[in-house]
Amino acid sequence: MRHSDSPLRQIRRLFRRPPGEQVAAELAFHVEMRTRELVANGTPPAEAAVMARAAFANRKAIAAECVSIAIETERLAGRREYLSDLRDDARYASRQLLRSPAFTLGVVATLALGIGVSSTVFSLVDAIFWRWPAGVEAPAGVQRVWTVDRQGRTGAESASADLEYPRFLAITAAAAPNATALYSVTPDASVRIGAASLPIHLAYATASLFPLLGARPMLGGFYTADEDLMGAGAPVVVVSERFWRSVLGADPQVIGSRLDIARTPYTVIGVAAAPFTGADLEAVDAWVPLGAYPGTGIGGRAWWESRNYSGFQMLIRGVGGHDAQFAAQATIAVRSADRQVGSVDSTVRVTTGSLILARGPGEQAPELAIATRLGGVALMLLMIVSANVLGLMLSRAVRRRHEIAMRLALGISHARLARLLMTESAILALLAAVAASAAAAWGGGVLRALLFPDMRWAVAPMHWHVLLFAGVAAGAVALLAGVVPLVHLLRSGTSIAVKSRGRPGGRASSRVRALAVATQVALSTVLLVGAALFVQSLRNVEQLDVGYDTDRLIYAGVRPNLPADRSAIDRRVDAIVQSLGPATGVERTSRTSREPMQRGGFGIPWYTDQDSMGARTGFRPTVTRVASGYVATVGLPLVAGADFRPGETGVIVNETMAHGIWHARSPLGECLHLGRRDSPCHMVVGVVRDAKRSNITEPPLPQYFISSADSGVTGAPEADMAVLRVRPDRAARVAATLRQRLGTEFPDARVTIDRLSTVMDTQYRPWRLGALLFSVFGILALAVASIGIYSTVSYEVAQRFRDFGIRAALGARLLHIVAAVMRAGLVPVVSGIGAGVIVALLAGHAVAALLYGIGASNVGAFSAAALVLLIVSTVAVMVPARRAARVDPLVALREE
């Protein structure tokens, strides 16, 4: 290959005149030749000169055009020459890499691991936080509406995107003339296609949703406000283009056909144009009018008049830069609407947030929080990989020191040498980026399935954002891995390298490699500390007492899609439940209005004979209506009093509520007035131990139970759910039998069968995922760091082969040689562990909120991580140290 221009080319460039001078000389030559021609034909010399110049009167224009052509020709020639040189460099670099297949494969695999993992995590974070919902017009102008309440005795604020219809009406009136919309997605609906029943993501939405988001129909049209009247919503449906193609077979005659969704017939009136699938991460298959929402109402009020249906999301467009003004007006409107329905909460306020839900002011779900922390973990792993590759590239450059020095001595320019080395690192990075992109395409789906197993994503894992990230990461690593060895080689000089014939590269390269090792160890320490903290947190969470017999409980509910006689449904459900009997493993049964560990809770005003503590902010007990025998069925331990007997009325309170109201006094026989101050006395008949209400890590919360036999409590929920206590080994069979029988008995209703153990698995999942993912990343980091330590020490031993041989020949003990190698290899390891401990202490606040029962600076976690790293590093150093001890002095002296 050509490493520099030939001497002839250099001489030609040295004496080449600028294009302007060349063109001027050429034109002067033509003028002179024309003059001579005219003189030869008998024209006087003076006249001939004038005539010749007249023939070239536009010399300036010709000169300018010729100069432009010459410059462009020279530029194209330079570009061709540069591309030719670059092609030669690429061929040479490829040959060099093929000569070292182990090195090439190791670097590419290591880089692909780091970039692939980082790209995988980036694809998840990008989809959650940065990618706008597909098909939404000008999404930056759409905002979500949030309500902020003060919770608990501390007065801490909690934001929620869930809204009730009365509040939506109040905010819409205050926001006029801005466009607003309200919707709710039901992910567990079903659609009947032929004889098959398929799952469908169904959205109940106001007619204003489509114009607000800028959606367009591909076929038919969207429903109107006249078809979206509350309580009289038209039975029409709009389906997504994805659903139309995948389920309906892209039928062009679909408009006017009927779909049985949630056992209710709907007429298809439109197909939304792709790629629109709604405003959330999950893709919506179909939209029906919000007026057709199957709410049953509570306390004599329709669902759209009640404050108990809060699972709706509100969007607004057009607020622009007037967020504060809108929030103030909406807050006043909401508080006024709350007072009209008897709410005593005067602290609620309204705010807005991004259309992207994860960017809102609400507290992140544990899975989202883990995803964001994984971004930092993946970045650390990428830095570990970069340091590892840097060490490998530097060692390779030192081994080629003699070759590079010879090229410099023969006249290769520094720029050409830099291009040569950078081309080699760029080829490695390109191969790694291709492998990493393929890994990210697969890993993105795996990571989504781990963190969000029940979500059907509206966007694919792979996106040009991910490819760009992989390319930028590969380019950055390639630049680092190419520049650092180049700088080291240029600073080391050429004469010594020529004489040394590739012997040790000096202290500078050793320091750089030691720094790379220390960096890998430090970051690995941080990841291992995080893994240890999450593993211990998982153990702490799994040891918590939930308060219920989780492995024995099954909850069964029937939700009619159309208005129905609730008491008749409950009697039929009870008959089916009782028919199972002890032979199937059912031990006890009861009824309840709410199963444990579900989001939210129901509360009504309450009063005692002494004061009106029910109006006190920060003490808000939730109420659950239960049937007789409920306490024994679910396994709640009784502290005092007794369980409800058949037909008995009264109240059972938990310990937190008893202490909060009556303090050290026994609550048995005390009165609670529910709903109104003048309501009848509801006597406390029992006290049960505290149990988790909605979250496994929540503090003890006040809670009480009222009997299903008590019909005098206005606004309390109905006990419309059966609860069964079964033998743990029969739970799965009982649940399947119950699902089959209830499905047959109620074909036009939504049947839910939940095992509490399965519900608890979703509570444990964030902790298990945190422990699993942080452990996997920590193990990967440990593996990469140990390989880096081993390769660095092995290279140092190989470079000092003669030195060890001479020492052995002069009588050095083998133990001293091993100790010298161990000391040199472990010094950067110990330094890295120390630095990693400091970084982990400083970064502990980032994961402190995700831990439970353990501090971010736990000594045990830090000690375990340091010990594991020290043991693995010692093993990695010991292998090349033993090789150094086995050096044959005669061989070393013969080579010397």
Side-chain angles (χ1 to χ4, degrees), residues 13-25 67 70-71 74:
R13 285 181 177 176
L14 181 64
F15 292 100
R16 180 183 296 169
R17 290 182 295 175
E21 294 184 12
Q22 296 181 37
V23 172
V67 168
I71 292 175
E74 187 171 338

Side-chain angles (χ1 to χ4, degrees), residues 868-884:
V868 169
L869 261 172
L870 192 57
I871 292 174
V872 173
S873 301
T874 302
V875 173
V877 174
M878 189 177 295
V879 176
R882 293 183 60 189
R883 190 183 308 126

Side-chain angles (χ1 to χ4, degrees), residues 52 54 128-129 198 286 314 326 385 393 410 438 491 548 560 584 594 694 718 780 820 837 848 878 891:
I128 293 174
F129 292 97
L198 304 177
M314 180 176 179
F326 162 74
V385 165
M393 294 294 287
L410 292 175
R491 291 181 59 185
Y548 301 94
T584 63
R594 181 182 183 273
S694 301
E718 297 299 325
L780 288 176
V837 167
M878 189 177 295
V891 176

Side-chain angles (χ1 to χ4, degrees), residues 674-691:
L674 304 178
R676 304 186 313 275
R677 183 184 297 277
D678 57 352
S679 67
C681 168
H682 290 77
M683 185 179 298
V684 177
V685 299
V687 180
V688 294
R689 189 175 299 168
D690 290 333

Side-chain angles (χ1 to χ4, degrees), residues 679-721:
S679 67
C681 168
H682 290 77
M683 185 179 298
V684 177
V685 299
V687 180
V688 294
R689 189 175 299 168
D690 290 333
K692 302 298 181 182
R693 191 171 75 186
S694 301
N695 191 293
I696 194 170
T697 60
E698 68 188 9
L701 298 173
Q703 188 176 14
Y704 64 103
F705 307 88
I706 60 175
S707 172
S708 59
D710 191 342
S711 59
V713 182
T714 303
E718 297 299 325
D720 56 1
M721 184 176 296

